Amino acid sequence: MEQKSILDSGKYLVTLQDRVSYLADIKGGFEWGNLKELFERVQELRTNLFEYSERELLQQIYSLEGRIEFAERQVAKRLRPIEIVNIVRSVQRFTLLDILENCYDSFTELGGDGEFNIDPAVIAARATITRRVKNRLYYHQVMVIGHEKGMGEEFRNGGCAKPWGNEKALRYMKVAETEGIPIHFYIFTPGAYPIEDYPGAAQQIARNLFEMAKLRVPMISFISEGGSGGAEAIGLADMRLMASRGYYSVISPEGAAAIEGRIKEGGKVPRKLVEHCAEQLKMTAKDNLELGTIDRIVEEPPLGAKRSDFKFFKRLRYEMVRATDEVVLKTKSFRAFRAYALRRQSQDKEKVFNDEFDIHIKWTLSESEKDRLLEIRSKKYRAMGKGFKVLKRPFSKRLTRFWESTRHKYYDIRYGLLRKQSKNLQKILEEVSSEGSVIFKTVTESMRAAYDFVFPAPQKPAQTSQQDPLRRSIFMQDWEQYISPLANEDRTVTCPNAEKYGCKDLWVPDLYGEYSGVCPTCGHHFPLEYQWYLENLFDKGSVREFNTQIVSDNPLGFKGFDEKLKKAIERTRRGSAIITFDAEVLGIKLVVAMLYSDFRSGTVGSAEGEKFIRACDRARTTRRPFLAYIHTTGGIRIHEGTLGVIQMPRCTLAVREYIDSGGLYIVVYDNNSYAGPVASFLGCSPYQVGIRSSRIGFAGPRVIRETTGTDVPPDYHKARNALKRGHIQGIWDRREFRKNLFEALMTMGGPNLYYK
Amino acid sequence: MSINLNDLLRKYKSHPYEDHEILAPHTGVVKFKVEEGQAVKGPSGQWLHRPGTLLYILEREKNPKRITSRFDGIVTDLRVDLDGKFVEAGQPLMLIRHRLNKQEITNRILKEVLHIFPAPERARYFFTPEISAKFEKGKTKSLSVKTGDEIVIMSLMKRDTTLNYEGPSGVLYEVYFKNGDILEQGAPLFGVCLPERLPFVEKVIQRIKTEWDD
Amino acid sequence: MKKEKVLIANRGEIAIRIMKACNELGLDYVVVYTKEDRASGHVKKALKERGSQAVYRISSYKDPNEIFSVADHSGATAIHPGYGFFSEDFRFARRAALRNRPITFIGPRWEVIRDLGSKINTKRIAKSLGIPVIPGSDEPIYSEIEAETLAEELFLKQKEQGIDKPSILVKASAGGGGMGIEEVNHLDVFRQVYRRIQNYAKRQFGDEGVLIEQCMRDYHHLEVQLLCSQHKEVVHFGTRNCTIQSTGRQKRVEVAPGFDPSIWEYPFDARKVLDDMVKYSIRLAEKVEYDNVGTWEWIVTRDGKPYLLEVNTRIQVENEISACISRISRQRGPVNLIKEQIRSALGEKLNFSQRHVSFEGTSIELRIVAEDVKRGFAPWCGTITRFEFPDEPWVRVYTHVPQDEPYEIPTEYDPNLALVIVWGKDTQEAKERAKDFISETIIDGKDSRGNGIITNLSYLYEKVDEVLRF
């Protein structure tokens, strides 16, 4: 008898030890408070279990438990964001399989059994969820799709979905659509696995978003760990719930810290900085509810729910059923929904949690209700993520002014603007490398290197001699065309392919003038400023910018970002990283959205998303083709947190509606295009083209190295490899951009273009 | 077998070095970035994408070109007197004394063991497209050749001539040029291993593997 | 004249001729050479005359960066491109003019090189000035209907002219050097050929523009030598006939003047044809304000019609035969066009005008090349062990091959051995002297297999008889 009791105590001690370790997980180690001592104490008791008398032991355990409880209360009293991240990452936290076991009555996993799975990080299951109405049970069929972190199971890859995992998710979404059953998404991912193999990390997420935008079944998502793009792959839902101790963020706090602190690869990121970033990123459930990026919080115990927290699972089941009810009811009649919502609210106010429902609601929708579902979804997302500023007066007509200033004669440009311009470009590049993310670190580094050739830092630009303006072409050829200010220097540069193709050093005025920045030997494209495209791609004088009044802001109050933003605005004399305008190509009118590198390296935040959506809608209503020219994008702007992330589903939805209306959406990537935008509103286009020498991808080599542990070849993201993998539909030479664009406008696109 | 493996190995053991003369690729002002006796590294990384040690900067027409080492080794015979001076194309600037590693010793010994097919003229050389295609598939060591086979294209004064292999039949064991290289007359193009010598060749490789410390 | 220093950006005999011209003008010069050319005559001559300070080894004659780098380092103020290499590269000339340290490009100004460098452009202006050009398109054609209409027209015209086998040429407009050209003998196959060339052009040059013109047969290739200054002076130095060419359209024997009615009978008024060509050439030169030496290339068909082909905006190999038969009153001896070219580029006036120029005798140029005429003019390479030729007052020989030691022909360049310029008081004498010269020339050499040298000497001997005969 005594023996058995002591054995029980042994088991109990294990749970106590788990509780102490859990606290250590949260606090990031045993250094906090008396955790170390508590842990040693538990261990000591476990080792010397039989040395104690039963009474002694119970007393010891009792006092120890009291102290642990005290510590727990202390920790729970003030949970800092980084501690919430730690909760989410703890091996003791519940996973999707726990939810399937506990919230659903039965489930059949589809396309997987443990390791035998195209991607064990993603689970799809047909499941039954029950509701109790006055002691009667009702069964609902649902499709459950989500990430399985598989705490301790290596093959689950920590819930990082591979491209084919997301493809699997999409396939079962379509099954649900065919069968007319709601989908419950469970998001437990630190981010998507950043590899480019077909179907491609970015491109597959984009496809998922594109389909989810108009998927004709109710979708509910629940976020425990919402890691940026990876989360969005199954995140565009009609109702978004979030665990009270979950996080949903544009980037991991470590990633953000590496960027903010400009930490070199392999370098140590200071813990303080990580904690600071975790706060600034506004990633907790409460923050996200305030930002409007989620709809409701599902309460967990103060220190978060663990794998055996049955009370929590009961709560979660209730919340999922209720959320589905609400989505369904909204499509039926607003009055029914109101009544339902009010009743539930008053129930929620009761102290005792009650998971019983008053009525049974069927989750099948008629065709007209499905239409309404999509309408509500569209409205919902269009109303989200509006963290931008609207100026009363448009942001001045900078574009027109720039236009005029560059329409001088060839020589004026050649010899006038040089010094200022080269300085600007240098600054831009410094910016490119600080912004964006670690993701792009290496990429920007190589881009910097390219610019370093063009403008070696310490040297002053050479003086250029004045030229006799009378020495013109004897035939007066079109010398009035725009010449890049980069051309304005007497020096030479080396083509990066010189060793391979024997390219000769290029004289800068030839290279950036006549050669349009293209090496005549190997065709390598040197980067050019975005203005070059404005001037050379569209019919002269046809560019008319709109929505300049929408400008970037610092909606999270991210510390230090106001200054950065101010600098970007001063330097570019623009309000956001996107320029949206009407233009013509050989007389065909089109709407263009251009992300450019000079402003926060073309990152997308609320203002950019809004302007993109408005441009998209403008193209739809005027029945014009829509071109997204991506001079460079570094991804989602981390300083706007999930308000930036939410632009992914938002913009994709607008694109989907444009394409469905019978338009033509062409995406052209130049220089560097990475991450969020590619994984959503760009990657979903049926016509994506890379300009030669451009790089397209999900994450840069550094992030790939850091997440996958393997290196990638230097040309991993090059356009031709993107073409080889099927991510883009073609590669265009810069010099033929205009011609190819015109041909595309003439031959491609839906039936609703104004000139068709 | 006329070749004495022991002698060969002894020879390389007594002087396991190879000196690479570093010549200015073109005119310009040279600024050295290494010192006499300094150890330098060649390109590294899985794809040799990380450049080697910066040896010097050659500036021509306001383009300071960074010239990096293509070999591991020690800098010797550095022409310090040329630092900051204008140099002509082909000017010797330094030597890099490179210690031969196993692979390189093996290649050198193989050159003496294999039947070498030399370049008949000073010209540019290419493999025929068929052979190139096989190389791309990685089928080098299994490529048999016999007299009369079309292996190499010689490009002389912008005219291409296909060269037929002459010599004993065997396996194309080693290649000594890259497509498009200009080779001096008599420089080795490729080495063919006679089938009966294959075991000997394998033995050479095995011995170097075990007896040589990198 | 301020002290100028000329960088000679070329090799071989033209480099030597430029050095001589510089010496005569009292100008300093520097030369460049590549590894392969270290034993070449131009290097030796420069070393002998100016010492090692005037000789620079570069990585390639074709890399403009090397030329400018040496020019700046050596303090050169002008660059003579010779012929080939940068002589007609307007970008090179433009860079010379626009760089921070400008350097005089010895040639026409870059705008002229660019604009006359385009055959289509030249054709268009020529047409506008009433200068005859080969019938056909004067800009790239992109539409099939347009192309077919033009093709039909060209066939019809030829029929009207009574041409026996009418045909037209279809060319890729962006092409050159004989690539992407096909002949069409019948209108029925035109569309097929047109599409083939269009596809080829698109693939090769990324521009599917196609040119169509009448295919000329049975013609002579003539040239008009002009010299112009920056002060709007235009002087011509008569005509040359360069009809004798290798299969690769490389000139082998040239004669000045262009026709000689005193020795052959022509089916047309040769005097008038030559005068017309000169008149037209000057008209174009004046229009574009041409400002250096240049050659206007023409073809003359059996019916005595001249057509302007193109303008070579450079000094040509065969310039000296024109110089040889030209006399300027008040000046002693024949003209040196390279000297005049340098003077003109440095901004000087000509000091004479057309009325001071007269012509005397006939001059023939022979190009001695190590090539196998019977095997499609295949180049020979090896080492020359002996090279001897007669020394006569009526002949000038330009060669970079040393006479005192063996010389290995660099394989990267064409195996040209020598240029021989013969003068005679009339065509008959010039021909005889040319043949005498050839007979007395001895060239020995061996290739790597020990076989003897192959040259085109006997081919030249045969061809001398045929010169100027239509």
Side-chain angles (χ1 to χ4, degrees):
Chain A
M1 191 64 204
E2 191 189 324
Q3 200 79 342
K4 189 171 185 280
S5 174
I6 285 180
L7 277 180
D8 279 350
S9 306
K11 275 185 195 159
Y12 194 66
L13 277 170
V14 173
T15 64
L16 285 186
Q17 189 177 326
D18 285 347
R19 280 165 72 178
V20 180
S21 323
Y22 189 64
L23 286 178
D25 282 352
I26 295 171
K27 296 308 269 187
F30 288 96
E31 286 72 36
W32 181 81
N34 55 352
L35 283 186
K36 196 168 182 189
E37 191 236 319
L38 286 176
F39 190 76
E40 277 161 6
R41 193 80 197 94
V42 180
Q43 285 219 302
E44 193 267 332
L45 282 178
R46 280 186 68 194
T47 347
N48 305 322
L49 196 59
F50 300 100
E51 311 289 317
Y52 294 96
S53 74
E54 191 186 344
R55 226 186 103 200
E56 255 180 330
L57 191 67
L58 284 176
Q59 217 165 22
Q60 292 276 3
I61 289 175
Y62 184 72
S63 104
L64 197 56
E65 192 179 7
R67 292 174 64 199
I68 291 171
E69 264 169 26
F70 180 77
E72 283 174 342
R73 276 197 302 277
Q74 288 297 309
V75 173
K77 207 182 265 175
R78 210 185 125 259
L79 268 182
R80 288 179 303 147
I82 189 68
E83 290 162 0
I84 290 180
V85 172
N86 290 340
I87 288 177
V88 169
R89 289 175 181 168
S90 167
V91 287
Q92 297 186 39
R93 188 168 178 79
F94 64 97
T95 72
L96 175 54
L97 280 172
D98 299 323
I99 293 172
L100 277 168
E101 287 286 351
N102 296 299
C103 298
Y104 295 87
D105 289 85
S106 65
F107 72 93
T108 312
E109 195 181 335
L110 303 166
D113 178 8
E115 264 184 276
F116 304 95
N117 195 325
I118 185 152
D119 182 4
V122 176
I123 283 182
R126 274 300 303 261
T128 311
I129 195 163
T130 53
R131 119 180 30 225
R132 215 146 48 88
V133 181
K134 298 183 181 90
N135 286 327
R136 245 197 92 181
L137 287 178
Y138 293 90
Y139 297 90
H140 295 285
Q141 294 295 318
V142 293
M143 181 70 78
V144 173
I145 299 171
H147 307 107
E148 174 54 44
K149 284 182 80 74
M151 302 302 192
E153 287 176 326
E154 276 289 313
F155 62 87
R156 298 283 187 191
N157 218 345
C160 292
K162 300 216 164 98
W164 38 93
N166 281 327
E167 192 274 338
K168 177 176 78 173
L170 179 59
R171 242 180 308 131
Y172 290 112
M173 285 181 217
K174 287 188 171 165
V175 171
E177 186 182 39
T178 312
E179 298 182 358
I181 55 172
I183 307 174
H184 289 173
F185 292 117
Y186 291 94
I187 298 167
F188 286 87
T189 185
Y193 198 70
I195 42 173
E196 294 296 327
D197 305 55
Y198 185 83
Q203 306 281 326
Q204 186 57 43
I205 296 174
R207 273 189 280 272
N208 283 19
L209 283 168
F210 190 74
E211 292 298 331
M212 282 189 283
K214 295 292 162 191
L215 205 70
R216 298 173 71 79
V217 287
M219 297 182 287
I220 316 297
S221 60
F222 169 81
I223 302 170
S224 165
E225 180 172 21
S228 194
E232 294 312 312
I234 54 169
L236 198 163
D238 297 297
M239 178 87 90
R240 291 154 68 102
L241 309 182
M242 186 165 168
S244 67
R245 295 295 176 263
Y247 80 82
Y248 174 31
S249 173
V250 62
I251 189 171
S252 71
E254 290 83 359
I259 297 166
E260 285 291 289
R262 304 194 181 192
I263 310 292
K264 283 212 184 96
E265 185 169 357
K268 181 118 181 62
V269 185
R271 196 163 148 184
K272 277 260 177 285
L273 189 60
V274 176
E275 289 171 7
H276 170 78
C277 284
E279 267 160 43
Q280 299 299 312
L281 285 168
K282 300 279 186 288
M283 55 209 293
T284 66
K286 197 166 151 283
D287 291 330
N288 276 293
L289 191 64
E290 277 166 18
L291 293 171
T293 50
I294 59 162
D295 298 287
R296 188 172 295 157
I297 295 175
V298 179
E299 278 305 325
E300 295 180 62
L303 285 180
K306 297 192 205 167
R307 309 200 64 159
S308 51
D309 225 317
F310 302 112
K311 246 163 120 184
F312 169 72
F313 294 128
K314 207 166 157 189
R315 172 105 213 180
L316 180 59
R317 168 162 62 185
Y318 161 76
E319 291 285 0
M320 290 306 282
V321 171
R322 176 180 157 186
T324 318
D325 278 353
E326 288 183 16
V327 169
V328 167
L329 281 172
K330 265 191 202 169
T331 68
K332 292 180 187 292
S333 92
F334 191 66
R335 196 179 293 167
F337 164 72
R338 287 274 297 181
Y340 176 91
L342 281 173
R343 198 156 50 229
R344 297 311 306 182
Q345 259 168 29
S346 61
Q347 267 179 11
D348 286 355
K349 278 187 191 134
E350 291 165 23
K351 285 269 153 93
V352 192
F353 168 63
N354 171 16
D355 69 343
E356 224 182 71
F357 287 83
D358 295 339
I359 45 164
H360 171 57
I361 291 160
K362 278 197 175 164
W363 289 351
T364 44
L365 300 181
S366 71
E367 284 309 306
S368 62
E369 284 161 357
K370 286 177 188 169
D371 289 343
R372 213 171 126 58
L373 176 75
L374 301 191
E375 217 174 283
I376 296 167
R377 190 182 299 158
S378 171
K379 275 194 190 135
K380 172 187 172 68
Y381 278 89
R382 280 166 178 274
M384 284 163 106
K386 299 214 169 196
F388 51 83
K389 257 195 302 209
V390 180
L391 301 181
K392 284 204 186 96
R393 223 158 41 84
F395 194 77
S396 90
K397 286 181 177 149
R398 300 300 185 199
L399 188 69
T400 351
R401 199 171 299 167
F402 178 82
W403 188 276
E404 279 158 8
S405 75
T406 54
R407 288 186 84 184
H408 290 302
K409 296 266 152 49
Y410 171 68
Y411 293 111
D412 292 1
I413 296 161
R414 278 278 314 268
Y415 300 106
L417 296 173
L418 166 66
R419 196 168 304 213
K420 211 168 65 199
Q421 200 69 23
S422 91
K423 245 189 200 158
N424 274 352
L425 274 154
Q426 185 58 46
K427 271 203 241 154
I428 290 155
L429 284 154
E430 271 156 23
E431 196 54 40
V432 170
S433 17
S434 66
E435 169 79 318
S437 51
V438 219
I439 314 188
F440 327 118
K441 185 71 179 172
T442 319
V443 176
T444 52
E445 261 169 8
S446 67
M447 187 169 148
R448 244 186 98 110
Y451 271 94
D452 281 345
F453 279 129
V454 185
F455 299 111
Q459 286 170 354
K460 278 186 195 161
Q463 285 279 313
T464 38
S465 65
Q466 279 299 323
Q467 189 56 47
D468 176 8
L470 294 174
R471 282 196 144 193
R472 293 249 177 80
S473 161
I474 48 178
F475 304 119
M476 294 306 289
Q477 281 189 337
D478 35 337
W479 280 104
E480 281 187 41
Q481 69 186 37
Y482 172 86
I483 304 281
S484 168
L486 290 170
N488 203 3
E489 209 178 344
D490 173 23
R491 35 184 261 97
T492 58
V493 289
T494 307
C495 174
N497 296 331
E499 207 160 312
K500 202 167 164 196
Y501 298 105
C503 318
K504 293 191 187 96
D505 285 5
L506 295 155
W507 194 47
V508 157
D510 282 343
L511 172 63
Y512 289 106
E514 196 190 337
Y515 296 150
S516 302
V518 178
C519 171
T521 310
C522 70
H524 172 79
H525 282 41
F526 288 79
L528 281 181
E529 70 282 0
Y530 73 90
Q531 288 91 342
W532 189 92
Y533 294 89
L534 283 179
E535 298 287 341
N536 289 310
L537 194 51
F538 308 107
D539 298 352
K540 285 274 176 252
S542 70
V543 173
R544 292 273 177 276
E545 195 177 355
F546 52 80
N547 284 334
T548 49
Q549 76 279 10
I550 299 174
V551 298
S552 288
D553 197 6
N554 183 7
L556 305 187
F558 202 106
K559 266 189 200 138
F561 185 62
D562 281 328
E563 290 74 54
K564 287 181 182 171
L565 197 59
K566 211 176 131 204
K567 266 192 208 158
I569 290 170
E570 272 168 16
R571 195 184 49 230
T572 59
R573 295 187 289 163
R574 298 191 160 279
S576 66
I578 198 169
I579 310 169
T580 53
F581 53 93
D582 292 323
E584 290 177 27
V585 171
L586 296 171
I588 296 186
K589 295 186 177 74
L590 71 163
V591 177
V592 186
M594 185 188 256
L595 282 168
Y596 64 104
S597 61
D598 314 32
F599 194 102
R600 306 298 307 157
S601 54
T603 50
V604 170
S606 304
E608 288 76 14
E610 183 70 15
K611 283 178 80 175
F612 182 89
I613 290 170
R614 290 195 191 187
C616 203
D617 288 349
R618 187 187 183 95
R620 186 168 46 124
T621 48
T622 55
R623 299 170 59 206
R624 289 179 189 175
F626 182 41
L627 168 72
Y629 167 69
I630 311 306
H631 179 252
T632 275
T633 181
I636 300 297
R637 187 169 303 150
I638 60 168
H639 305 93
E640 293 196 23
T642 46
L643 284 180
V645 177
I646 210 74
Q647 305 307 323
M648 292 173 64
R650 282 187 83 212
C651 296
T652 310
L653 208 133
V655 163
R656 174 71 189 259
E657 285 168 5
Y658 170 71
I659 291 176
D660 284 356
S661 78
L664 168 60
Y665 177 45
I666 301 175
V667 173
V668 179
Y669 301 108
D670 203 348
N671 300 316
N672 294 298
S673 304
Y674 282 98
V678 183
S680 56
F681 56 93
L682 303 176
C684 68
S685 166
Y687 303 109
Q688 297 170 61
V689 174
I691 296 294
R692 249 173 110 171
S693 305
S694 62
R695 290 167 186 271
I696 302 142
F698 186 62
R702 173 169 173 179
V703 167
I704 296 179
R705 274 193 295 275
E706 286 171 352
T707 40
T708 70
T710 48
D711 206 350
V712 290
D715 64 349
Y716 189 64
H717 294 107
K718 274 281 168 76
R720 62 165 187 280
N721 279 326
L723 186 66
K724 205 169 154 187
R725 297 183 188 110
H727 299 343
I728 56 175
Q729 281 66 54
I731 295 177
W732 287 353
D733 190 296
R734 177 189 288 151
R735 296 163 294 186
E736 285 168 14
F737 193 168
R738 184 172 152 86
K739 188 175 137 243
N740 288 337
L741 180 59
F742 176 71
E743 273 172 20
L745 293 176
M746 291 307 287
T747 55
M748 297 166 191
N752 205 37
L753 295 167
Y754 80 93
Y755 54 88
K756 283 214 170 164
Chain B
M1 188 73 43
S2 59
I3 295 152
N4 187 329
L5 191 54
N6 288 327
D7 286 353
L8 272 176
L9 279 177
R10 206 171 302 127
K11 187 181 100 189
Y12 282 112
K13 268 186 183 159
S14 65
H15 187 83
Y17 298 107
E18 188 174 66
D19 286 339
H20 294 280
E21 195 172 30
I22 306 299
L23 309 176
H26 56 67
T27 61
V29 173
V30 66
K31 271 184 207 133
F32 290 114
K33 294 288 166 187
V34 287
E35 283 167 15
E36 181 77 26
Q38 186 179 327
V40 293
K41 290 241 169 287
S44 60
Q46 198 180 336
W47 299 273
L48 295 180
H49 57 294
R50 274 187 280 279
T53 311
L54 177 63
L55 297 179
Y56 61 98
I57 288 172
L58 187 59
E59 179 165 347
R60 179 187 66 176
E61 285 293 277
K62 304 189 189 84
N63 179 14
K65 205 174 281 183
R66 297 164 63 86
I67 311 287
T68 55
S69 180
R70 286 170 49 226
F71 316 94
D72 292 349
I74 304 288
V75 174
T76 65
D77 294 41
L78 185 70
R79 289 287 305 274
V80 194
D81 55 312
L82 294 176
D83 196 31
K85 301 253 166 64
F86 180 89
V87 296
E88 295 177 43
Q91 168 69 48
L93 298 174
M94 65 184 87
L95 291 180
I96 290 183
R97 169 155 286 196
H98 169 69
R99 191 174 192 278
L100 297 168
N101 61 29
K102 270 183 199 171
Q103 187 59 47
E104 289 159 340
I105 296 277
T106 312
N107 284 345
R108 270 159 193 73
I109 292 182
L110 281 180
K111 232 178 230 182
E112 301 182 40
V113 177
L114 301 176
H115 173 81
I116 300 294
F117 188 79
E121 300 279 355
R122 185 182 184 280
R124 231 175 253 285
Y125 290 88
F126 300 87
F127 275 112
T128 57
E130 298 76 44
I131 302 277
S132 289
K134 281 180 184 158
F135 277 134
E136 267 160 36
K137 284 180 191 149
K139 289 184 183 166
T140 41
K141 293 273 147 86
S142 59
L143 202 73
S144 319
V145 292
K146 59 179 188 306
T147 297
D149 283 356
E150 293 182 348
I151 310 265
V152 170
I153 295 170
M154 173 174 77
S155 179
L156 186 63
M157 290 181 176
K158 299 166 198 160
R159 278 160 208 254
D160 290 353
T161 323
T162 306
L163 296 183
N164 295 330
Y165 174 69
E166 277 170 54
S169 303
V171 176
L172 208 166
Y173 203 88
E174 204 57 61
V175 175
Y176 298 109
F177 71 103
K178 284 201 303 285
N179 260 350
D181 280 356
I182 296 181
L183 298 183
E184 293 296 332
Q185 183 187 344
L189 279 171
F190 55 86
V192 172
C193 186
L194 279 62
E196 65 268 22
R197 276 204 194 172
L198 262 176
F200 175 75
V201 168
E202 301 298 337
K203 200 173 103 197
V204 171
I205 294 171
Q206 199 48 47
R207 273 199 61 183
I208 295 168
K209 238 182 212 165
T210 49
E211 292 180 19
W212 205 268
D213 310 313
D214 260 345
Chain C
M1 195 189 274
K2 86 170 202 258
K3 190 68 183 169
E4 301 271 1
K5 193 183 221 178
V6 179
L7 185 149
I8 301 166
N10 215 305
R11 61 186 293 276
E13 60 82 23
I14 186 65
I16 292 171
R17 278 202 270 177
I18 297 167
M19 278 183 236
K20 282 186 179 160
C22 287
N23 287 341
E24 286 176 32
L25 287 168
L27 299 176
D28 209 354
Y29 68 78
V30 288
V31 300
V32 291
Y33 70 101
T34 60
K35 199 167 69 187
E36 296 78 14
D37 267 353
R38 60 190 172 272
S40 192
H42 80 280
V43 182
K44 288 189 171 171
K45 183 175 160 69
L47 278 172
K48 203 169 104 193
E49 290 179 5
R50 309 279 154 139
S52 62
Q53 287 306 300
V55 179
Y56 289 90
R57 180 148 88 172
I58 56 173
S59 60
S60 159
Y61 292 110
K62 292 176 191 163
D63 189 340
N65 305 298
E66 288 287 77
I67 307 298
F68 288 116
S69 161
V70 171
D72 285 352
H73 181 71
S74 64
T77 53
I79 294 175
H80 198 306
Y83 48 72
F85 297 141
F86 296 114
S87 58
E88 288 175 286
D89 184 339
F90 78 88
R91 291 185 192 95
F92 184 87
R94 180 170 68 188
R95 181 167 163 189
L98 297 183
R99 63 205 298 274
N100 291 349
R101 181 181 170 273
I103 295 176
T104 307
F105 177 81
I106 300 178
R109 61 186 199 281
W110 65 267
E111 294 91 334
V112 171
I113 303 176
R114 181 192 62 200
D115 296 341
L116 292 183
S118 145
K119 278 194 194 185
I120 304 167
N121 216 341
T122 307
K123 204 169 168 182
R124 209 179 306 152
I125 327 160
K127 239 181 167 176
S128 75
L129 296 172
I131 299 169
V133 292
I134 295 175
S137 50
D138 54 10
E139 57 185 17
I141 297 175
Y142 293 92
S143 126
E144 192 169 287
I145 300 166
E146 204 183 314
E148 278 188 317
T149 317
L150 182 62
E152 206 172 337
E153 202 180 294
L154 287 173
F155 271 107
L156 204 69
K157 245 188 211 161
Q158 291 179 68
K159 234 172 249 165
E160 279 171 8
Q161 288 172 0
I163 291 172
D164 186 20
K165 282 178 190 153
S167 74
I168 58 173
L169 289 180
V170 184
K171 303 177 177 180
S173 115
M179 298 289 283
I181 300 183
E182 267 191 66
E183 192 180 332
V184 175
N185 298 308
H186 204 278
L187 198 54
D188 292 346
V189 294
F190 173 77
R191 182 179 295 193
Q192 200 185 338
V193 174
Y194 171 80
R195 285 186 181 166
R196 191 158 55 229
I197 294 291
Q198 191 180 37
N199 283 335
Y200 173 85
K202 193 175 180 180
R203 232 180 18 249
Q204 288 291 319
F205 314 111
D207 175 4
E208 55 181 42
V210 164
L211 296 179
I212 299 164
E213 59 184 35
Q214 186 180 330
C215 177
M216 295 294 181
R217 284 208 201 86
D218 196 14
Y219 58 81
H220 267 211
H221 186 125
L222 274 81
E223 295 173 345
V224 175
Q225 177 69 56
L226 294 192
L227 170 65
C228 311
S229 78
Q230 293 169 12
H231 308 281
K232 298 192 181 175
E233 296 163 295
V234 179
V235 172
H236 77 85
F237 286 90
T239 55
R240 294 189 285 263
N241 191 319
C242 311
T243 309
I244 297 170
Q245 301 182 353
S246 75
T247 43
R249 296 216 170 274
Q250 301 283 317
K251 294 166 188 167
R252 286 294 174 258
V253 180
E254 298 105 321
V255 195
F259 291 126
D260 186 356
S262 70
I263 183 164
W264 300 110
E265 236 176 83
Y266 294 95
F268 46 78
D269 181 351
R271 197 64 260 158
K272 184 180 180 303
V273 171
L274 295 180
D275 287 348
D276 283 350
M277 276 165 38
V278 168
K279 187 181 76 193
Y280 288 137
S281 301
I282 290 173
R283 190 185 292 172
L284 179 57
E286 283 173 346
K287 170 74 182 172
V288 302
E289 293 179 18
Y290 200 85
D291 58 353
N292 203 258
V293 296
T295 301
W296 268 242
E297 291 205 18
W298 294 82
I299 61 174
V300 177
T301 51
R302 185 163 289 280
D303 55 1
K305 282 192 181 133
Y307 299 98
L308 178 66
L309 269 186
E310 60 175 319
V311 179
N312 291 323
T313 56
R314 56 174 158 92
I315 192 80
Q316 279 185 304
V317 181
E318 60 272 27
N319 82 81
E320 199 158 324
I321 53 169
S322 295
C324 242
I325 61 162
S326 305
R327 304 284 179 270
I328 296 172
S329 55
R330 292 178 306 184
Q331 273 188 24
R332 283 167 57 89
V335 186
N336 182 338
L337 279 172
I338 295 176
K339 249 164 82 180
E340 297 302 329
Q341 179 193 20
I342 296 171
R343 283 206 315 116
S344 160
L346 295 177
E348 290 191 31
K349 285 200 166 187
L350 294 185
N351 291 337
F352 58 86
S353 65
Q354 192 67 58
R355 64 191 165 83
H356 299 115
V357 179
S358 58
F359 298 99
E360 193 183 331
T362 297
S363 183
I364 298 177
E365 178 174 83
L366 306 166
R367 301 196 192 196
I368 303 177
V369 183
E371 63 185 0
D372 192 346
V373 175
K374 293 190 196 81
R375 288 188 179 76
F377 295 84
W380 179 91
C381 57
T383 305
I384 292 174
T385 50
R386 185 172 167 212
F387 186 27
E388 283 170 21
F389 46 82
D391 184 16
E392 301 282 356
W394 42 261
V395 66
R396 255 182 278 177
V397 180
Y398 293 103
T399 177
H400 57 284
V401 179
Q403 275 91 69
D404 49 358
E405 59 182 12
Y407 176 74
E408 193 187 335
I409 302 173
T411 54
E412 287 300 291
Y413 308 109
D414 291 335
N416 297 334
L417 302 183
L419 277 182
V420 178
I421 291 132
V422 176
W423 183 85
K425 66 179 189 298
D426 54 29
T427 306
Q428 195 54 43
E429 189 182 63
K431 281 161 73 174
E432 275 157 19
R433 284 174 168 176
K435 283 158 87 173
D436 288 349
F437 180 89
I438 296 168
S439 314
E440 286 170 43
T441 298
I442 301 163
I443 308 175
D444 287 342
K446 275 194 170 57
D447 68 11
S448 54
R449 290 190 191 81
N451 300 320
I453 190 167
I454 302 169
T455 69
N456 64 348
L457 279 176
S458 55
Y459 165 83
L460 294 176
Y461 191 90
E462 278 169 36
K463 287 292 173 184
V464 164
D465 270 334
E466 288 178 30
V467 292
L468 299 183
R469 175 176 170 185
F470 211 114

